[in-house]
Amino acid sequence: MAVPAPCGYRTPGPIATDESGEPGRADDGTHPAPTVHRERRPPMPPTLTLKARTSWSDAWQRCVAIAPQAFRDDRVLNLWDSTWQADGRALPAASPVDQTPVAGPPRLDPDTAQRAVRAALDQHRAWRHIAVGERRARVAATLDALTQHRELLALLLVWEIGKPWRLAQADVDRAIDGVRWYVDGIEAMLEDRVPLDGPVSNIASWNYPMSVLVHAMLVQALAGNAVIAKAPTDGGVSCLTLACALAAREGIPVTLVSGSGGQLTKPLVRAPEIGCVSFVGGRDTGAAVATAVADLGKRHILEQEGLNTWGIWNFSDWDRLAATVPKLFDYGKQRCTAYPRFVVQRCLFNDFLDAYLPAVRTVRIGHPLAVEQRDDPCPDLDYGPLISAAKAKELNDQVAEAVDRGAVPLHRGTLEDGRFLPGQDTSAYLPPVTLLNPPPSSPLHHAEPFGPVDTIVLVDTEAELLAAMNASNGALVATLATDDRSVYERLAPQVRAFKVGHGTARSRGDRDELFGGFGASWRGAFVGGELLVRAVTQGARGERLPGNFPEYQLMP
């Protein structure tokens, strides 16, 4: 009995061959053989190689040549008391790009960190009396030095935190351009204001070392304060070290230390010498910092995470949404203003999927420095690796658990279409994932994943829309996409986010754009524009800063 062929497969008949065994003439040589239709396979992707002069070793040797006082052959140094110190215990670290060993942060013990804080207070007391014109000149000179070494700073960001080249350059440029705006207008912002009584302590996450952390430090110094920064544990220490070396060379009172957040809370947050604490990070760590500063009545700026949402209600501009979706995956959604949640009107779900799914399949991932020819430009990727292989595994596990408990997987990307070097380690890479209705028991239901995982929630009423958009008790940004402007104007004020876009993504902003958050996403003074300067200076007695404080909330 004949066995039927598998579905979609047709058993071929005999093929005439010539004496060589290749398809050709019929056996008798008088009739042409039947045409053989070979399956057309897609062309094999070219073998990629590392772009010339971009290896970690290349970047490290350039750092040693530019700032030998801050970079040793095998480690970076801490900077305190105006001196680069070979102290602390340097831990091993690896690049998320391909697990290449890179410099790890040299962790200080609490007692040494406390000495660094006392030395920063001495610097502060001298710096606050430097004329604003001189401060402007030194900060401007620092910006010139950062501009000169722009490409090296960006390359360090690629290796240390996995940013694609385009986004790494943008991070450096935003820091430089943003601080220049303050340099040009600082006199008016400082009118009737004086520096704080002690230095500003900065504790920031790893994802934006330049455009968030270095930007804030230089503005704080411009306003008359000495500045302290704790290098993020997960990545960015070499980039920060180079930036601080360039600033210290121009006479900016900078302290850069590394260490465990738990061990350095007392000297960097609770120490009486500290005039203000500026924190950017997650809610768990932020809550501990918030408790400490509240107990002490200390000036603070605490930017924390929130579940930023994109609501869709009575909407029809699907081409616009489709063009936006890939952009929302910039840097793998490892941003405080990323949008990992779509809240969609149920009757529009089919139209949403028709726009969303083809768009998400175009997202480009891979090794940020992998090219076909060594002198080719870097690839234009949406994102590279996550910050670590551990983070990629954590998200993979959360996705699997959510699906096991009832979430519907609508899209799962694959690394097969990514741009990678032959045989490279890809353990820190996670392709895009989209889940419908994550269960309430899953962290993906209520918390920011900080990775390329989108979740979708369907709603039927405006009340459900607002409840779903406010799932995390406060957010930094949100978007409401609706064709009816009056609906936007009525619902947007009820979304608990500092910025709410009408069909467009919102961001942290630059220059004169203000920034803050509601609910648990922000505590303390708001920043951006002149508010950043007001947050790190003192005005008239009894002044109430715009911000989200336990005792009051004041909008600008």
Side-chain angles (χ1 to χ4, degrees), residues 214-478:
V214 171
H215 175 280
M217 293 165 61
L218 291 179
V219 175
Q220 293 160 5
L222 186 63
N225 304 289
V227 293
I228 303 169
K230 186 182 94 64
T233 302
D234 290 328
V237 64
S238 295
C239 179
L240 280 173
T241 299
L242 180 58
C244 288
L246 298 175
R249 187 176 293 170
E250 301 300 335
I252 305 296
V254 177
T255 295
L256 177 65
V257 296
S258 298
S260 161
Q263 287 196 332
L264 298 194
T265 295
K266 182 177 180 180
L268 297 186
V269 176
R270 292 183 171 274
E273 293 91 342
I274 299 296
C276 176
V277 176
S278 178
F279 170 87
V280 179
R283 289 191 178 186
D284 291 342
T285 305
V289 175
T291 300
V293 295
D295 291 345
L296 301 169
K298 194 183 294 292
R299 183 78 61 92
H300 58 282
I301 306 161
L302 309 182
E303 176 185 331
Q304 300 171 120
E305 63 188 18
L307 186 60
N308 307 316
T309 58
W310 193 291
I312 296 177
W313 188 264
N314 293 344
F315 178 74
S316 64
D317 195 353
W318 301 110
D319 288 344
R320 184 180 184 185
L321 177 68
T324 301
V325 167
K327 299 175 184 176
L328 299 181
F329 278 88
D330 270 1
Y331 196 32
K333 302 206 175 198
Q334 297 176 105
R335 299 178 288 121
C336 62
T337 54
Y339 286 84
R341 168 67 53 81
F342 288 92
V343 181
V344 182
Q345 190 176 7
R346 190 182 305 273
C347 64
L348 298 178
F349 185 46
N350 59 321
D351 294 321
F352 171 83
L353 286 184
D354 286 345
Y356 176 88
L357 289 177
V360 75
R361 293 180 183 126
T362 69
V363 172
R364 301 152 302 180
I365 66 174
H367 189 304
L369 302 171
V371 294
E372 295 181 22
Q373 302 295 328
R374 284 179 56 79
D375 289 323
D376 284 352
C378 293
D380 187 12
L381 303 174
D382 294 300
Y383 68 95
L386 302 192
I387 187 59
S388 67
K391 178 61 179 180
K393 182 182 184 303
E394 173 191 305
L395 272 183
N396 255 327
D397 291 346
Q398 288 182 2
V399 168
E401 182 181 49
V403 171
D404 187 58
R405 295 181 180 179
V408 179
L410 297 177
H411 172 73
R412 287 191 178 190
T414 173
L415 294 183
E416 293 179 3
D417 297 326
R419 294 176 57 92
F420 298 106
L421 299 179
Q424 81 160 81
D425 190 309
T426 59
S427 58
Y429 293 79
L430 182 70
V433 178
T434 308
L435 301 180
L436 174 66
N437 290 335
S441 59
S442 168
L444 298 176
H445 177 79
H446 55 79
E448 181 181 12
F450 229 62
V453 179
D454 275 346
T455 56
I456 301 171
V457 173
L458 303 182
V459 295
D460 296 296
T461 67
E462 290 183 354
E464 290 177 325
L465 174 78
L466 291 171
M469 293 188 72
N470 292 327
S472 67
N473 183 27
L476 303 175
V477 297

Side-chain angles (χ1 to χ4, degrees), residues 154 157-158 161-174 207-208 210-211 327 329-333 335 379-384:
L157 293 180
V158 172
I161 62 174
K163 283 201 170 184
W165 182 245
R166 169 177 57 86
L167 299 178
Q169 288 180 302
D171 192 11
V172 178
D173 291 343
R174 286 182 62 187
N207 54 343
Y208 283 90
M210 293 295 298
S211 63
K327 299 175 184 176
F329 278 88
D330 270 1
Y331 196 32
K333 302 206 175 198
R335 299 178 288 121
D380 187 12
L381 303 174
D382 294 300
Y383 68 95

